Structure formats: C-alpha cells, structure tokens
C-alpha cells in the first residue's frame, strides 16, 4: 500500500470514544415521558390523568426536571393555545374516541386498559414533537403545561426569554461596574486605540521635556 493510501486511510479512521463520550450526558437533550395513568371519579365526572415527566438541559426551561399530572383536556388546551399564538404546524392529538363514550357498552369504553395505553402512547408522541420544536419552546403555554402544577387558563400568552446563567450575569454586572462606558460599548478595539494614543502622547511629551532640559 502506498504512503498516500495509508494517509487517506488514517484520515478515515474515527477518534476512539472514551468513557466520558460514551456515558456522559448529551450536550443538548429533552426527554418527556407520559406514564402512570390513573382513573378517578365516578359517572360523568370520571376521567384519566397521566404523569408528564420532563428532563432537559436546555437553557430555555427554568426547571431541568419536572413532573406534573395532566388529563386529555389539558393536552387539548395546549394544542389550541399553540394553534392560536404560535406559527408552527401543531401535530394532531389521538382521537377523542366518541364511540367508546356511548352508553350501554359491554366494556369500559375509554377506561379500558388497552385504550388508555394506546392513548398514552399517542399523547407521548404528541408532546415530544411539540416540545422539540424550537419555536414552541418559546411559548409560555408549553412551559406552564410541562412545569406548573396547575394550568392557569386565564394566563397572558407570550414568549419565554432564554435563561442566563449566574456566572454570565455576574460577568455582565462586573463589566458594567468596573469598566468605563466607552470600553463596554466599543470593546477591546477601543481599548487598543486608547493605549496607542496614550503611548504616542507620552513619547511626544518626554521628547519635549528632554529638549527643554538640554536647551
């Protein structure tokens, strides 16, 4: 094999993966699980709720881990809010299964374990598609749905700003406190120009003093 072929083969070989790369947390992740369905109430007041658990390291979310309980109508509310206020195409929810809600059925209808599991899977797919969309992540309704214990239906719709780390806030405060306004506005280029100006000024001044001394 020629030297050129060996060099090309070396370029194709990938870097060996160490334990940190293999088992460390991903740089950006968002995981949402729908689990533990519970049916409560009796008669027409009977309904099923699901736990919605989220884990993430995205800075847009205030809480990195949260767990709330939601029912199907809460998912409907979220879908309607996103369709009204955001510019994304909202995926469909699993159907309402109206036939299963008819009276005099020989089974449990929408409270059958098989149907609840089918709906759970559909809701999990729905919320993961929504939460993974960058534009949807800015919507207050999504943050409330995922991280607030109770949903405030009278909330004021709006956008969520990206969270700034404590270290970055301290650095910004230090710059504003300790540096002149010009330095903050113009940065290092401004400081370089000031340094050059001062150096030239001192050189001229020392030359004048030296000449006066000799004279």
């Amino acid at each position: 094999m020629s030297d050129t072929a060996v060099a090309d083969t070396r370029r194709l070989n990938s870097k060996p993966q160490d334990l940190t790369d293999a088992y460390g947390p991903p740089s950006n992740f968002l995981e949402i699980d729908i689990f533990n369905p519970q049916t409560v109430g009796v008669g027409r007041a009977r309904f099923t709720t699901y736990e919605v658990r989220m884990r993430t390291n995205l800075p847009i979310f205030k809480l990195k881990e949260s767990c709330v309980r939601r029912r199907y109508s809460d998912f409907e509310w979220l879908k309607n809010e996103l369709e009204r206020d955001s510019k994304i195409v909202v995926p469909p929810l699993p159907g309402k299964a109206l036939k299963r809600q008819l009276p005099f059925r020989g089974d449990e209808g929408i409270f059958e374990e098989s149907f609840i599991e089918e709906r759970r899977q559909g809701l999990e797919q729905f919320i993961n598609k929504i939460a993974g969309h960058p534009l949807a992540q800015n919507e207050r309704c999504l943050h409330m749905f995922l991280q607030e214990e109770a949903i405030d239906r009278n909330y004021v719709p709006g956008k969520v700003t990206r969270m700034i780390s404590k270290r970055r806030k301290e650095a910004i405060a230090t710059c504003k406190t300790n540096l002149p306004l010009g330095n903050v506005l113009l940065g290092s280029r401004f400081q370089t120009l000031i340094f050059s100006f001062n150096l030239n000024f001192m050189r001229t001044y020392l030359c004048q003093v030296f000449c006066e001394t000799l004279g």
Side-chain angles (χ1 to χ4, degrees), residues 35-40 47-51 69-70 111 116:
F35 67 106
N36 190 22
Q38 293 182 4
T39 300
V40 297
F47 59 90
T48 302
T49 63
Y50 306 83
E51 281 194 53
R69 187 163 283 277
R70 299 287 183 253
F111 302 108
I116 290 176

Side-chain angles (χ1 to χ4, degrees), residues 31-192:
E31 300 173 356
I32 302 178
D33 298 317
I34 308 294
F35 67 106
N36 190 22
Q38 293 182 4
T39 300
V40 297
V42 293
R44 291 192 172 186
R46 193 180 182 192
F47 59 90
T48 302
T49 63
Y50 306 83
E51 281 194 53
V52 181
R53 179 176 59 196
M54 187 193 77
R55 294 178 62 254
T56 186
N57 63 355
L58 296 177
I60 191 67
F61 291 99
K62 181 179 179 180
L63 302 177
K64 303 313 173 187
E65 292 188 16
S66 61
C67 188
V68 295
R69 187 163 283 277
R70 299 287 183 253
R71 56 186 295 186
Y72 182 84
S73 60
D74 295 328
F75 287 85
E76 285 185 309
W77 171 85
L78 175 63
K79 182 176 184 294
N80 293 335
E81 292 297 306
L82 290 172
E83 288 177 336
R84 185 188 65 189
D85 298 323
S86 70
K87 297 181 180 180
I88 69 172
V89 178
V90 182
L93 280 167
K96 294 180 70 69
L98 296 177
K99 290 183 178 181
R100 282 184 168 270
Q101 301 182 44
L102 295 175
F104 309 113
R105 290 181 58 93
D107 56 17
E108 288 289 318
I110 61 174
F111 302 108
E112 280 280 337
E113 289 187 6
S114 59
F115 175 77
I116 290 176
E117 173 58 22
E118 180 182 345
R119 174 171 279 186
R120 183 201 65 77
Q121 294 178 11
L123 294 176
E124 188 172 84
Q125 293 176 4
F126 168 82
I127 194 60
N128 274 282
K129 288 180 180 179
I130 290 294
H133 198 293
L135 294 180
Q137 291 172 4
N138 294 324
E139 298 295 335
R140 288 190 61 195
C141 59
L142 177 64
H143 287 249
M144 186 189 305
F145 179 90
L146 291 174
Q147 302 196 318
E148 298 290 337
E149 191 66 29
I151 293 177
D152 180 10
R153 303 296 176 101
N154 298 318
Y155 86 112
V156 178
K159 308 298 181 183
V160 175
T161 57
R162 186 174 297 272
M163 300 295 292
I164 301 177
S165 66
K166 183 178 179 181
R167 178 179 296 180
R168 187 173 179 183
K169 287 182 180 179
E170 292 175 350
I172 294 173
T174 301
C175 288
K176 290 182 178 180
T177 303
N178 297 334
L179 292 179
L181 179 60
N183 291 13
V184 175
L185 294 177
L186 300 180
S188 58
R189 185 176 181 183
F190 176 84
Q191 297 175 35
T192 302

